[in-house]
Amino acid sequence: LYPTKHMLPHPELKGRDFFGEMIAACKKRGMRVIAYVPTCHKLPYDQVKKHYPEWIWRPAPEGRRVPRHHYEVLKQRHPEHDWDPTPEAVPPLTYHTSEGRHAPLCFNSPYRQSFGEMIREIVTGYPIDGILFDSWIPIYFAPFDICYCRKCRQDFKCRYGLELPVLARKLRPRQREAMLDWFSWYRELSWEVGEETIAYIRSVNDELLLLCHGEDP
């Protein structure tokens, strides 16, 4: 709800800085302001798909059907999702508030850098008193700790010299070792981003109140 350079502003803003206007109005009345930041939370799928498709968490590589095993896990864990095993490798989508379908994002993608730049904009550009991070938990609503977005597949191949297996069955010992190592790293990814984000904020303003919504503290 502000004219950010690193994420698509709300299409109804039309250049208006609603966030800045709200802060000014609150400060005039002696109110403190906490910025709301969707973190590992989902974002509107239609907007992300159109402008930032490389951010989307994917249950299979683009252009490939989701493996039957993955599809069954998705259906079992999230029967409420509007989701189909299409060749597009669409993630499990949910309807959230009034904004329509939402999709989970992958922090091992350009989203990580854009998120960091957005935090810098907010912390240095607005006289806020705190930040509420919505759901700082690994891959919000994604059913397993693996993503097949382009960067994840490229990074896996670069790190291990192997293609990222689509099915974790009948793996050779070297593949299995690489997969276990990757799983371990990917599970901790959101915490890694969290630590660097908090360290940056504290280096700029040690007085900001930092809050988090989600299952983990």
Tab-separated table of all heavy atoms in Angstrom, residues 91-126:
chain	number	residue	atom	x	y	z
A	91	PRO	N	1.178	-24.221	-7.569
A	91	PRO	CA	1.216	-24.609	-6.162
A	91	PRO	C	-0.190	-24.692	-5.583
A	91	PRO	O	-1.163	-24.290	-6.234
A	91	PRO	CB	1.991	-23.455	-5.517
A	91	PRO	CG	1.665	-22.281	-6.371
A	91	PRO	CD	1.584	-22.825	-7.765
A	92	PRO	N	-0.345	-25.191	-4.359
A	92	PRO	CA	-1.678	-25.197	-3.743
A	92	PRO	C	-2.121	-23.764	-3.481
A	92	PRO	O	-1.421	-22.996	-2.846
A	92	PRO	CB	-1.458	-25.962	-2.436
A	92	PRO	CG	-0.005	-25.843	-2.158
A	92	PRO	CD	0.671	-25.796	-3.486
A	93	LEU	N	-3.290	-23.396	-3.996
A	93	LEU	CA	-3.779	-22.024	-3.875
A	93	LEU	C	-4.903	-21.957	-2.860
A	93	LEU	O	-5.702	-22.879	-2.732
A	93	LEU	CB	-4.289	-21.527	-5.227
A	93	LEU	CG	-3.303	-21.589	-6.397
A	93	LEU	CD1	-3.986	-21.139	-7.688
A	93	LEU	CD2	-2.074	-20.746	-6.122
A	94	THR	N	-4.963	-20.856	-2.113
A	94	THR	CA	-6.057	-20.630	-1.176
A	94	THR	C	-6.692	-19.279	-1.458
A	94	THR	O	-6.047	-18.374	-1.966
A	94	THR	CB	-5.576	-20.624	0.284
A	94	THR	OG1	-4.473	-19.728	0.401
A	94	THR	CG2	-5.155	-22.006	0.736
A	95	TYR	N	-7.966	-19.169	-1.098
A	95	TYR	CA	-8.634	-17.878	-1.161
A	95	TYR	C	-8.390	-17.186	0.175
A	95	TYR	O	-8.654	-17.744	1.238
A	95	TYR	CB	-10.127	-18.054	-1.422
A	95	TYR	CG	-10.403	-18.384	-2.859
A	95	TYR	CD1	-10.401	-19.698	-3.300
A	95	TYR	CD2	-10.636	-17.380	-3.794
A	95	TYR	CE1	-10.622	-20.008	-4.635
A	95	TYR	CE2	-10.863	-17.674	-5.128
A	95	TYR	CZ	-10.859	-18.985	-5.534
A	95	TYR	OH	-11.073	-19.288	-6.853
A	96	HIS	N	-7.861	-15.954	0.107
A	96	HIS	CA	-7.459	-15.264	1.323
A	96	HIS	C	-8.054	-13.864	1.344
A	96	HIS	O	-7.872	-13.100	0.400
A	96	HIS	CB	-5.931	-15.184	1.403
A	96	HIS	CG	-5.420	-14.710	2.717
A	96	HIS	ND1	-5.594	-15.409	3.881
A	96	HIS	CD2	-4.752	-13.580	3.050
A	96	HIS	CE1	-5.042	-14.760	4.879
A	96	HIS	NE2	-4.531	-13.633	4.405
A	97	THR	N	-8.751	-13.535	2.415
A	97	THR	CA	-9.452	-12.266	2.591
A	97	THR	C	-10.255	-11.944	1.332
A	97	THR	O	-10.944	-12.793	0.801
A	97	THR	CB	-8.465	-11.119	2.938
A	97	THR	OG1	-7.564	-10.903	1.830
A	97	THR	CG2	-7.653	-11.464	4.161
A	98	SER	N	-10.150	-10.715	0.840
A	98	SER	CA	-10.951	-10.336	-0.327
A	98	SER	C	-10.121	-10.270	-1.599
A	98	SER	O	-10.579	-9.772	-2.622
A	98	SER	CB	-11.585	-8.962	-0.067
A	98	SER	OG	-10.566	-7.994	0.125
A	99	GLU	N	-8.899	-10.781	-1.536
A	99	GLU	CA	-7.975	-10.591	-2.654
A	99	GLU	C	-7.931	-11.779	-3.619
A	99	GLU	O	-7.094	-11.814	-4.507
A	99	GLU	CB	-6.563	-10.322	-2.119
A	99	GLU	CG	-6.434	-9.012	-1.357
A	99	GLU	CD	-6.559	-7.808	-2.267
A	99	GLU	OE1	-6.184	-7.900	-3.447
A	99	GLU	OE2	-7.036	-6.765	-1.805
A	100	GLY	N	-8.781	-12.773	-3.421
A	100	GLY	CA	-8.786	-13.899	-4.350
A	100	GLY	C	-7.721	-14.938	-4.031
A	100	GLY	O	-7.267	-15.070	-2.897
A	101	ARG	N	-7.308	-15.685	-5.049
A	101	ARG	CA	-6.383	-16.808	-4.861
A	101	ARG	C	-4.984	-16.324	-4.480
A	101	ARG	O	-4.456	-15.378	-5.059
A	101	ARG	CB	-6.306	-17.637	-6.139
A	101	ARG	CG	-7.620	-18.231	-6.571
A	101	ARG	CD	-7.438	-19.125	-7.779
A	101	ARG	NE	-6.788	-18.419	-8.884
A	101	ARG	CZ	-6.304	-19.015	-9.970
A	101	ARG	NH1	-6.395	-20.329	-10.077
A	101	ARG	NH2	-5.746	-18.322	-10.931
A	102	HIS	N	-4.387	-17.011	-3.517
A	102	HIS	CA	-3.037	-16.685	-3.066
A	102	HIS	C	-2.133	-17.904	-3.225
A	102	HIS	O	-2.576	-19.040	-3.091
A	102	HIS	CB	-3.038	-16.262	-1.588
A	102	HIS	CG	-3.427	-14.824	-1.388
A	102	HIS	ND1	-4.586	-14.297	-1.914
A	102	HIS	CD2	-2.803	-13.809	-0.719
A	102	HIS	CE1	-4.671	-13.015	-1.573
A	102	HIS	NE2	-3.598	-12.690	-0.851
A	103	ALA	N	-0.849	-17.653	-3.481
A	103	ALA	CA	0.120	-18.731	-3.691
A	103	ALA	C	1.318	-18.542	-2.767
A	103	ALA	O	1.714	-17.411	-2.470
A	103	ALA	CB	0.596	-18.742	-5.139
A	104	PRO	N	1.921	-19.651	-2.298
A	104	PRO	CA	3.143	-19.540	-1.498
A	104	PRO	C	4.324	-19.139	-2.366
A	104	PRO	O	4.352	-19.398	-3.565
A	104	PRO	CB	3.325	-20.957	-0.930
A	104	PRO	CG	2.648	-21.839	-1.925
A	104	PRO	CD	1.503	-21.046	-2.479
A	105	LEU	N	5.316	-18.497	-1.751
A	105	LEU	CA	6.502	-18.022	-2.458
A	105	LEU	C	7.731	-18.773	-1.973
A	105	LEU	O	7.734	-19.352	-0.893
A	105	LEU	CB	6.699	-16.529	-2.236
A	105	LEU	CG	5.489	-15.647	-2.527
A	105	LEU	CD1	5.802	-14.200	-2.198
A	105	LEU	CD2	5.043	-15.789	-3.969
A	106	CYS	N	8.778	-18.753	-2.787
A	106	CYS	CA	10.032	-19.425	-2.440
A	106	CYS	C	11.072	-18.365	-2.086
A	106	CYS	O	11.371	-17.486	-2.899
A	106	CYS	CB	10.515	-20.271	-3.610
A	106	CYS	SG	12.102	-21.086	-3.301
A	107	PHE	N	11.653	-18.467	-0.881
A	107	PHE	CA	12.687	-17.518	-0.484
A	107	PHE	C	13.994	-17.761	-1.232
A	107	PHE	O	14.857	-16.883	-1.279
A	107	PHE	CB	12.939	-17.595	1.025
A	107	PHE	CG	12.322	-16.457	1.797
A	107	PHE	CD1	11.691	-16.686	3.000
A	107	PHE	CD2	12.383	-15.163	1.316
A	107	PHE	CE1	11.132	-15.637	3.722
A	107	PHE	CE2	11.826	-14.101	2.022
A	107	PHE	CZ	11.199	-14.344	3.226
A	108	ASN	N	14.171	-18.941	-1.818
A	108	ASN	CA	15.362	-19.182	-2.643
A	108	ASN	C	15.067	-18.754	-4.081
A	108	ASN	O	15.167	-19.535	-5.019
A	108	ASN	CB	15.773	-20.655	-2.595
A	108	ASN	CG	17.088	-20.887	-3.315
A	108	ASN	OD1	18.021	-20.101	-3.193
A	108	ASN	ND2	17.165	-21.965	-4.080
A	109	SER	N	14.690	-17.507	-4.227
A	109	SER	CA	14.331	-16.942	-5.523
A	109	SER	C	14.583	-15.443	-5.435
A	109	SER	O	14.941	-14.923	-4.373
A	109	SER	CB	12.854	-17.225	-5.834
A	109	SER	OG	12.019	-16.370	-5.075
A	110	PRO	N	14.380	-14.711	-6.530
A	110	PRO	CA	14.550	-13.262	-6.457
A	110	PRO	C	13.637	-12.584	-5.442
A	110	PRO	O	13.842	-11.417	-5.101
A	110	PRO	CB	14.229	-12.805	-7.884
A	110	PRO	CG	14.585	-13.978	-8.737
A	110	PRO	CD	14.193	-15.172	-7.927
A	111	TYR	N	12.612	-13.304	-4.954
A	111	TYR	CA	11.742	-12.739	-3.914
A	111	TYR	C	12.545	-12.356	-2.677
A	111	TYR	O	12.249	-11.348	-2.025
A	111	TYR	CB	10.654	-13.746	-3.536
A	111	TYR	CG	9.835	-13.335	-2.327
A	111	TYR	CD1	9.073	-12.168	-2.350
A	111	TYR	CD2	9.825	-14.109	-1.165
A	111	TYR	CE1	8.312	-11.786	-1.251
A	111	TYR	CE2	9.076	-13.735	-0.064
A	111	TYR	CZ	8.324	-12.579	-0.109
A	111	TYR	OH	7.586	-12.195	0.987
A	112	ARG	N	13.575	-13.131	-2.359
A	112	ARG	CA	14.376	-12.852	-1.169
A	112	ARG	C	15.002	-11.455	-1.244
A	112	ARG	O	14.954	-10.694	-0.272
A	112	ARG	CB	15.458	-13.914	-1.005
A	112	ARG	CG	16.386	-13.663	0.174
A	112	ARG	CD	17.335	-14.820	0.375
A	112	ARG	NE	18.217	-14.619	1.511
A	112	ARG	CZ	19.006	-15.567	2.028
A	112	ARG	NH1	19.006	-16.778	1.488
A	112	ARG	NH2	19.770	-15.311	3.075
A	113	GLN	N	15.581	-11.118	-2.380
A	113	GLN	CA	16.203	-9.806	-2.532
A	113	GLN	C	15.151	-8.700	-2.524
A	113	GLN	O	15.344	-7.648	-1.901
A	113	GLN	CB	17.007	-9.740	-3.823
A	113	GLN	CG	17.715	-8.407	-4.037
A	113	GLN	CD	18.557	-8.392	-5.298
A	113	GLN	OE1	18.698	-9.398	-5.973
A	113	GLN	NE2	19.118	-7.233	-5.609
A	114	SER	N	14.036	-8.914	-3.215
A	114	SER	CA	12.978	-7.909	-3.248
A	114	SER	C	12.401	-7.672	-1.861
A	114	SER	O	12.118	-6.530	-1.479
A	114	SER	CB	11.868	-8.346	-4.209
A	114	SER	OG	12.341	-8.387	-5.532
A	115	PHE	N	12.239	-8.750	-1.104
A	115	PHE	CA	11.738	-8.621	0.264
A	115	PHE	C	12.695	-7.781	1.105
A	115	PHE	O	12.276	-6.882	1.835
A	115	PHE	CB	11.567	-10.014	0.877
A	115	PHE	CG	11.200	-9.978	2.331
A	115	PHE	CD1	9.885	-9.766	2.721
A	115	PHE	CD2	12.154	-10.162	3.316
A	115	PHE	CE1	9.545	-9.718	4.063
A	115	PHE	CE2	11.825	-10.126	4.655
A	115	PHE	CZ	10.510	-9.906	5.032
A	116	GLY	N	13.992	-8.054	0.993
A	116	GLY	CA	14.981	-7.297	1.744
A	116	GLY	C	14.975	-5.821	1.379
A	116	GLY	O	15.075	-4.947	2.251
A	117	GLU	N	14.859	-5.527	0.085
A	117	GLU	CA	14.828	-4.136	-0.357
A	117	GLU	C	13.559	-3.434	0.123
A	117	GLU	O	13.579	-2.241	0.465
A	117	GLU	CB	14.916	-4.065	-1.881
A	117	GLU	CG	16.231	-4.543	-2.465
A	117	GLU	CD	17.409	-3.687	-2.021
A	117	GLU	OE1	17.193	-2.502	-1.659
A	117	GLU	OE2	18.551	-4.190	-2.036
A	118	MET	N	12.449	-4.176	0.156
A	118	MET	CA	11.208	-3.600	0.653
A	118	MET	C	11.327	-3.240	2.135
A	118	MET	O	10.864	-2.180	2.573
A	118	MET	CB	10.056	-4.589	0.438
A	118	MET	CG	8.693	-4.009	0.738
A	118	MET	SD	7.372	-5.209	0.464
A	118	MET	CE	7.701	-6.381	1.801
A	119	ILE	N	11.972	-4.101	2.912
A	119	ILE	CA	12.193	-3.814	4.327
A	119	ILE	C	13.039	-2.547	4.475
A	119	ILE	O	12.762	-1.688	5.328
A	119	ILE	CB	12.877	-5.001	5.026
A	119	ILE	CG1	11.941	-6.222	5.063
A	119	ILE	CG2	13.314	-4.622	6.440
A	119	ILE	CD1	10.667	-5.997	5.836
A	120	ARG	N	14.057	-2.399	3.643
A	120	ARG	CA	14.895	-1.197	3.704
A	120	ARG	C	14.081	0.059	3.397
A	120	ARG	O	14.241	1.099	4.046
A	120	ARG	CB	16.075	-1.321	2.734
A	120	ARG	CG	17.116	-2.333	3.171
A	120	ARG	CD	18.237	-2.487	2.143
A	120	ARG	NE	19.250	-3.412	2.598
A	120	ARG	CZ	19.186	-4.729	2.489
A	120	ARG	NH1	18.126	-5.270	1.900
A	120	ARG	NH2	20.150	-5.507	2.934
A	121	GLU	N	13.191	-0.037	2.396
A	121	GLU	CA	12.335	1.101	2.067
A	121	GLU	C	11.478	1.514	3.258
A	121	GLU	O	11.352	2.702	3.570
A	121	GLU	CB	11.401	0.749	0.896
A	121	GLU	CG	12.051	0.704	-0.462
A	121	GLU	CD	11.044	0.337	-1.535
A	121	GLU	OE1	10.067	-0.384	-1.240
A	121	GLU	OE2	11.246	0.764	-2.680
A	122	ILE	N	10.881	0.523	3.903
A	122	ILE	CA	9.954	0.797	5.006
A	122	ILE	C	10.689	1.358	6.224
A	122	ILE	O	10.271	2.348	6.830
A	122	ILE	CB	9.187	-0.489	5.383
A	122	ILE	CG1	8.267	-0.908	4.229
A	122	ILE	CG2	8.375	-0.288	6.664
A	122	ILE	CD1	7.642	-2.273	4.412
A	123	VAL	N	11.810	0.724	6.574
A	123	VAL	CA	12.534	1.114	7.782
A	123	VAL	C	13.187	2.489	7.634
A	123	VAL	O	13.213	3.279	8.581
A	123	VAL	CB	13.590	0.045	8.142
A	123	VAL	CG1	14.484	0.514	9.276
A	123	VAL	CG2	12.903	-1.261	8.528
A	124	THR	N	13.723	2.782	6.463
A	124	THR	CA	14.427	4.055	6.276
A	124	THR	C	13.529	5.166	5.742
A	124	THR	O	13.872	6.346	5.851
A	124	THR	CB	15.618	3.886	5.303
A	124	THR	OG1	15.124	3.460	4.019
A	124	THR	CG2	16.607	2.862	5.840
A	125	GLY	N	12.380	4.812	5.176
A	125	GLY	CA	11.548	5.812	4.519
A	125	GLY	C	10.337	6.274	5.300
A	125	GLY	O	9.687	7.249	4.906
A	126	TYR	N	10.002	5.580	6.408
A	126	TYR	CA	8.785	5.907	7.142
A	126	TYR	C	9.044	5.925	8.648
A	126	TYR	O	9.768	5.058	9.164
A	126	TYR	CB	7.688	4.888	6.828
A	126	TYR	CG	7.230	4.920	5.390
A	126	TYR	CD1	7.805	4.073	4.447
A	126	TYR	CD2	6.234	5.803	4.968
A	126	TYR	CE1	7.399	4.104	3.120
A	126	TYR	CE2	5.818	5.833	3.645
A	126	TYR	CZ	6.406	4.983	2.731
A	126	TYR	OH	6.001	5.017	1.417
